[in-house]
Amino acid sequence: KLTWTCLRLEVILLERSDGNLFHWNHLMKGDKLVLHRSKRDWMWRQFFLSEEYTGSNYQYVGKLRSDKDRGDGTARYVLSGEGAGTIFRIDEKSGDLHATQRLDREEKASYTLQAQAFNKITGLPLEPATEFIVKIHDINDNEPKFTKAVYTASVPEMSDIGTFVIEVNATDADDATYGNSAKLVYSILQGQPYFSVEPETGIVRIALSNMDREVRKEYQVVIQAKDMAGQMGGLSGTTMVNVTLTDVNDSPPRFAYSSYHLSTYESAEIGSTVGRIKANDGDEGENAEMKYRIVDGDGKEYLDIITDETTQEGVMKLDYESKRVYTVKVEVTNTHQDPSFSDLGPFLDTAIVKVTAKDVDEPPVFSRPQYVFEVNEDTPKGIAVGTIAAWDPDATHYPIQYAIDQHTDPERLYHIDPKNGSITILKSLDREVSKWHNISVLASEINNPHQRSRVPVLIKVLDVNDNAPEFAMIYETFVCENVKAGQLIQTISAIDTDDPLVGHKFVFTLSSMNPNFTIFDNEDNTARILTRRSGFNRREMSVYYLPVVISDSDYPIQSSTSTLTIRVCSCDATGNMRSCSVDALLLSAGLSTGALVAILLCILILLMIVVLFSALKKQRRKEPLIISKEDVRDNVVSYNDEGGGEEDTQAFDIGTLRHPEVIESNKLRRDIIPEMLFPYHRPSPMKECADVRDFIISRLQENDTDPFTPPYDSLATYAYEGNGSIAESLSSLESSVTEGDHEYDYLSNWGPQFKKLADMYIGKDTGVAN
């Protein structure tokens, strides 16, 4: 069993592992105290170390020594565990343990370490490892801190002394089990003599009676918490408590004057306001709410008074006109009274009110200043929305007729019965077009239509679920070619022009099973579009159309199908889109824009050649045009076969050579002989071939005058080269009839087009001469 020796002055008694105590045997030898220890079987369990050490050297913790250490230097001590090698360091030879850093108990209060001794030579452990604890002693280095920098509290006014206001709480990070470093005492620095605080609990209480909110409403109290039990040298922290006195009904209402005089115009409508009176109340909120009533007077039956809930004024109204002067007694009381403050009363007051009125012919009076009706948007035509009521305030009581001001109802949606004032629907209503309809109803006396009144009628159109949800926006969705299955490509949402009472709740589904994509309803009015497979190819399919069914949850359920267009795009390894166009797809295959244009031109030319061959083949199968009654003309085709000039060939009708036996020079051509396309630049060099030219011309003339010869065949002659070629004729028909050498020097004067030909023949001729 591992045994250790630790020398610390603070430790006098050591505890055995079995719970017994052992002591040192003290022997005196001369002037020295010799300590002998008996053979023991014990282990060190913990060391103590002060926090916030400020010394320049490492802080000494203790000494570890094994019984197996013979002192010959063969023992090596090794430390492991929390902070070993960084915070704590052990001397391998002596076993001295030091702390290398400044420690804070508030960060960590103890460290658990293991120590073991090894034989340096053999490397074997001398004893099993032993675990011990280094505890950090606390010092008062943390001030108290309140849980809040500012507290807010309220307490009723006129509260008794000792009434609870609020409890403040402060904490100290120091060790509460060691000394008084964390023992706090609360005191009040500001707020006396109105408030007090309990030193140990931090409870704030009322310290002064009869605190009146009408005199002062708000207080600021500063509370201090001090550690070291409030002794000198302790650390402290403060907080502020904002205390508000809440109102109680301790102020009765009072009229400013004992009597009031009101007057009204003689044309005042029945139920109109004659005037206002007000009593004063120092309270607020519901404690200041007052109620007015007429308790006596000769005008009690003709006047009425109501309370304006906003201003707490008494509004005097005229109910009927039968006299010029009315006198009433008005009483005001608090609506909410507190019996505990009845000794401050009475909580009522009275005043005399005189009202003067003159009778005139007045227009009808409506029962309300305005009317508000509600109607469902699917209400059928002819159903009544509500009824308007008005009467003649005069003594004559003439009948009333009603009408809707058509300027306020341009679409003629409503109708009012002129006798009973019932408003009905003329057309179907649509809340999505207009939620409110504001119309004006006119009431006039039948015997005096000029006496007319107007009242606003507000008709609210209530929603029914008659619109299906749809996409909230137009989505530009793409999927990468290298996408993986289950990857999110789009989050969609929906909108609905309806307005349900409990809010929208949309359900997203696919109209049918889709092998490429799937949808996941997030159940928050959004849905995610996910891929069902990996590997899309733009060459096979560049666009996918995904029908999404969106349903609402109102009654009756409405649903619609919106199509999501998904393009297949090329993306990089991180999923960022690079391109989705077809041109980019071809470019990715190694074709440039110029190459694409060239390919398209080649395809177009091939198509034109195919069409041309088809037309020529069809033309050859035609019957001779002489049979039909179609107008015919000669075809003139120029072939620049020989090179050297665009005018060196001319086309003629080859039909002349087909019928050499028919020569009728007296027949005229039915069409117009085309003129020469190009002017002559020099005379023809073929003077020796006049017989051939004459033969061809005669055959041409013979064919042109023959009505039975098809005019669409043509003859390209090569014997007669035409005019305008700087090389003149290259035909062998113009060659000399006699054999001999030729001179080709003139080829060098024909220009760069004949340079290669000149090099060939001039060089050959020179070689023969040599």
Side-chain angles (χ1 to χ4, degrees):
K1 193 170 184 179
L2 178 65
T3 57
W4 296 90
T5 302
C6 182
L7 303 178
R8 287 300 301 268
L9 296 179
E10 304 98 282
V11 182
I12 299 176
L13 297 178
L14 303 176
E15 184 178 3
R16 282 179 177 266
S17 58
D18 57 0
N20 298 323
L21 296 177
F22 86 98
H23 62 278
W24 292 93
N25 295 323
H26 302 273
L27 297 176
M28 295 298 297
K29 288 186 178 181
D31 296 334
K32 297 182 180 179
L33 177 63
V34 179
L35 300 179
H36 292 276
R37 63 178 178 84
S38 11
K39 186 66 176 177
R40 75 274 190 276
D41 188 16
W42 57 272
M43 294 186 299
W44 280 106
R45 289 302 183 187
Q46 72 181 24
F47 294 100
F48 293 93
L49 189 65
S50 297
E51 67 170 332
E52 304 295 343
Y53 175 71
T54 58
S56 58
N57 298 326
Y58 291 162
Q59 187 176 4
Y60 181 72
V61 179
K63 186 178 184 65
L64 301 177
R65 186 173 179 82
S66 172
D67 288 342
K68 305 296 183 177
D69 186 0
R70 301 177 180 178
D72 54 0
T74 60
R76 181 173 65 89
Y77 296 93
V78 177
L79 186 68
S80 61
E82 296 178 334
T86 57
I87 300 176
F88 300 99
R89 182 175 298 176
I90 190 171
D91 191 317
E92 293 183 354
K93 296 180 180 180
S94 63
D96 290 335
L97 181 65
H98 291 82
T100 63
Q101 299 180 9
R102 182 178 179 180
L103 302 179
D104 189 353
R105 190 203 65 84
E106 285 69 40
E107 294 181 1
K108 189 172 179 61
S110 64
Y111 297 84
T112 301
L113 299 167
Q114 296 84 32
Q116 190 173 13
F118 291 86
N119 190 299
K120 289 184 178 181
I121 300 175
T122 63
L124 298 176
L126 298 179
E127 296 179 0
T130 299
E131 183 177 272
F132 62 95
I133 298 173
V134 178
K135 295 189 66 175
I136 309 300
H137 271 310
D138 180 58
I139 63 173
N140 189 21
D141 58 344
N142 290 278
E143 71 278 1
K145 293 183 179 179
F146 284 91
T147 55
K148 294 182 180 180
V150 177
Y151 290 84
T152 301
S154 60
V155 63
E157 64 174 331
M158 311 299 291
S159 295
D160 296 332
I161 296 176
T163 302
F164 174 85
V165 178
I166 194 175
E167 181 179 357
V168 297
N169 185 25
T171 58
D172 196 317
D174 293 323
D175 190 358
T177 63
Y178 181 76
N180 295 327
S181 298
K183 187 174 182 180
L184 305 182
V185 173
Y186 299 93
S187 61
I188 186 167
L189 300 182
Q190 177 183 322
Q192 295 173 334
Y194 308 102
F195 302 95
S196 63
V197 63
E198 294 181 358
E200 296 181 356
T201 62
I203 296 176
V204 180
R205 300 183 183 276
I206 294 291
L208 186 65
S209 61
N210 299 326
M211 296 176 63
D212 193 354
R213 186 199 64 84
E214 286 73 33
V215 177
R216 183 177 176 181
K217 181 179 180 180
E218 295 180 348
Y219 297 85
Q220 288 185 339
V221 182
V222 178
I223 306 296
Q224 180 191 67
K226 191 173 183 180
D227 60 13
M228 298 299 292
Q231 300 176 5
M232 294 292 293
L235 303 178
S236 64
T238 60
T239 187
M240 178 177 291
V241 182
N242 292 325
V243 182
T244 301
L245 297 183
T246 58
D247 184 60
V248 297
N249 193 7
D250 60 341
S251 297
R254 293 288 182 266
F255 283 110
Y257 306 98
S258 59
S259 64
Y260 296 85
H261 185 272
L262 303 177
S263 62
T264 182
Y265 294 105
E266 59 184 3
S267 59
E269 299 179 358
I270 298 301
S272 62
T273 300
V274 175
R276 293 171 177 257
I277 60 176
K278 185 177 182 181
N280 299 320
D281 192 328
D283 297 320
E284 64 178 5
E286 67 175 17
N287 296 322
E289 293 179 2
M290 293 175 283
K291 180 180 180 181
Y292 299 85
R293 67 189 184 99
I294 297 176
V295 296
D296 198 5
D298 57 1
K300 183 178 180 181
E301 298 179 357
Y302 310 107
L303 295 174
D304 189 19
I305 188 170
I306 62 174
T307 302
D308 188 329
E309 296 181 358
T310 303
T311 62
Q312 294 301 311
E313 293 176 320
V315 181
M316 187 74 69
K317 290 184 175 294
L318 184 62
D319 285 347
Y320 183 72
E321 296 181 6
S322 61
K323 295 172 59 178
R324 293 184 58 187
V325 180
Y326 303 90
T327 303
V328 292
K329 183 178 182 180
V330 177
E331 179 186 85
V332 60
T333 60
N334 278 130
T335 305
H336 305 278
Q337 296 187 17
D338 190 347
S340 59
F341 299 101
S342 58
D343 57 334
L344 301 177
F347 284 82
L348 60 86
D349 198 9
T350 59
I352 302 299
V353 180
K354 292 183 179 182
V355 179
T356 302
K358 295 180 181 180
D359 185 26
V360 293
D361 188 9
E362 302 176 38
V365 176
F366 289 95
S367 59
R368 304 178 191 173
Q370 70 175 17
Y371 293 83
V372 179
F373 301 125
E374 293 182 348
V375 60
N376 291 329
E377 61 176 326
D378 60 349
T379 302
K381 303 176 184 178
I383 300 299
V385 176
T387 302
I388 306 298
W391 66 88
D392 183 8
D394 300 319
T396 55
H397 293 292
Y398 289 125
I400 305 299
Q401 62 180 1
Y402 303 93
I404 295 178
D405 187 350
Q406 299 301 334
H407 293 90
T408 62
D409 186 21
E411 299 179 1
R412 304 298 189 269
L413 299 176
Y414 302 97
H415 170 73
I416 188 169
D417 190 297
K419 294 183 179 180
N420 60 24
S422 175
I423 299 177
T424 57
I425 300 175
L426 294 179
K427 297 180 180 180
S428 299
L429 305 178
D430 189 353
R431 189 200 68 87
E432 284 68 41
V433 176
S434 179
K435 299 180 181 180
W436 286 89
H437 297 155
N438 302 332
I439 62 175
S440 293
V441 174
L442 305 176
S444 60
E445 299 177 5
I446 294 179
N447 296 336
N448 187 7
H450 296 289
Q451 292 296 334
R452 186 170 62 181
S453 300
R454 178 188 299 267
V455 67
V457 179
L458 308 179
I459 302 176
K460 182 179 181 180
V461 182
L462 302 179
D463 182 57
V464 296
N465 192 29
D466 58 348
N467 291 278
E470 57 186 11
F471 279 158
M473 59 182 293
I474 299 176
Y475 293 99
E476 295 289 340
T477 307
F478 72 92
V479 62
C480 295
E481 290 182 306
N482 56 355
V483 72
K484 296 181 180 179
Q487 185 167 338
L488 173 66
I489 62 172
Q490 182 70 62
T491 300
I492 60 175
S493 60
I495 57 174
D496 193 337
T497 54
D498 293 323
D499 188 15
L501 295 177
V502 295
H504 290 293
K505 177 61 179 177
F506 300 130
V507 177
F508 299 85
T509 58
L510 295 182
S511 60
S512 61
M513 181 64 68
N514 191 291
N516 303 308
F517 306 97
T518 184
I519 190 170
F520 182 83
D521 195 332
N522 296 327
E523 299 184 356
D524 60 353
N525 292 341
T526 64
R528 291 175 289 170
I529 304 299
L530 308 174
T531 56
R532 295 193 63 157
R533 65 180 180 89
S534 60
F536 289 81
N537 194 330
R538 283 184 296 165
R539 295 178 178 86
E540 297 177 359
M541 180 72 73
S542 61
V543 178
Y544 291 87
Y545 299 98
L546 185 65
V548 179
V549 179
I550 310 174
S551 305
D552 56 23
S553 59
D554 208 349
Y555 180 82
I557 294 177
Q558 302 286 340
S559 63
S560 67
T561 301
S562 301
T563 301
L564 186 66
T565 302
I566 304 174
R567 296 184 300 157
V568 181
C569 301
S570 173
C571 304
D572 55 19
T574 60
N576 295 322
M577 181 181 68
R578 294 187 299 188
S579 175
C580 295
S581 63
V582 177
D583 183 49
L585 177 60
L586 295 176
L587 288 176
S588 64
L591 297 177
S592 63
T593 305
L596 294 175
V597 174
I599 290 174
L600 293 176
L601 288 177
C602 291
I603 294 174
L604 182 61
I605 293 173
L606 289 175
L607 290 175
M608 292 177 63
I609 292 174
V610 171
V611 173
L612 180 61
F613 272 105
S614 300
L616 291 177
K617 191 173 183 180
K618 183 177 180 181
Q619 190 177 22
R620 288 173 184 168
R621 290 197 298 265
K622 277 188 176 182
E623 297 179 358
L625 294 179
I626 196 66
I627 298 176
S628 67
K629 297 181 181 181
E630 298 179 3
D631 186 17
V632 294
R633 296 180 183 272
D634 290 340
N635 292 331
V636 180
V637 182
S638 298
Y639 294 92
N640 300 328
D641 299 279
E642 298 295 336
E646 296 178 356
E647 304 168 274
D648 61 351
T649 60
Q650 295 186 19
F652 301 94
D653 195 342
I654 200 170
T656 304
L657 301 180
R658 292 187 175 181
H659 304 279
E661 69 280 4
V662 182
I663 305 176
E664 294 182 12
S665 59
N666 56 346
K667 293 182 180 180
L668 300 176
R669 295 185 60 176
R670 292 180 298 170
D671 54 7
I672 300 174
I673 301 175
E675 296 180 356
M676 185 64 63
L677 297 177
F678 302 99
Y680 290 95
H681 294 286
R682 63 181 67 184
S684 174
M686 298 180 58
K687 296 181 180 180
E688 297 83 351
C689 301
D691 54 342
V692 177
R693 182 170 60 253
D694 294 339
F695 172 77
I696 293 176
I697 292 175
S698 64
R699 290 292 183 269
L700 176 62
Q701 189 177 17
E702 176 184 336
N703 186 73
D704 292 339
T705 58
D706 187 2
F708 300 96
T709 303
Y712 50 78
D713 290 337
S714 61
L715 172 66
T717 62
Y718 299 93
Y720 178 64
E721 297 297 333
N723 303 309
S725 174
I726 61 173
E728 299 181 353
S729 177
L730 298 179
S731 175
S732 60
L733 297 177
E734 296 187 50
S735 303
S736 177
V737 295
T738 61
E739 296 181 0
D741 298 332
H742 294 276
E743 297 292 337
Y744 299 101
D745 294 338
Y746 58 87
L747 293 176
S748 60
N749 300 324
W750 287 1
Q753 296 92 334
F754 299 92
K755 182 177 183 302
K756 187 172 183 181
L757 186 62
D759 293 340
M760 294 172 58
Y761 281 89
I762 292 176
K764 179 179 179 182
D765 183 60
T766 304
V768 173
N770 293 335

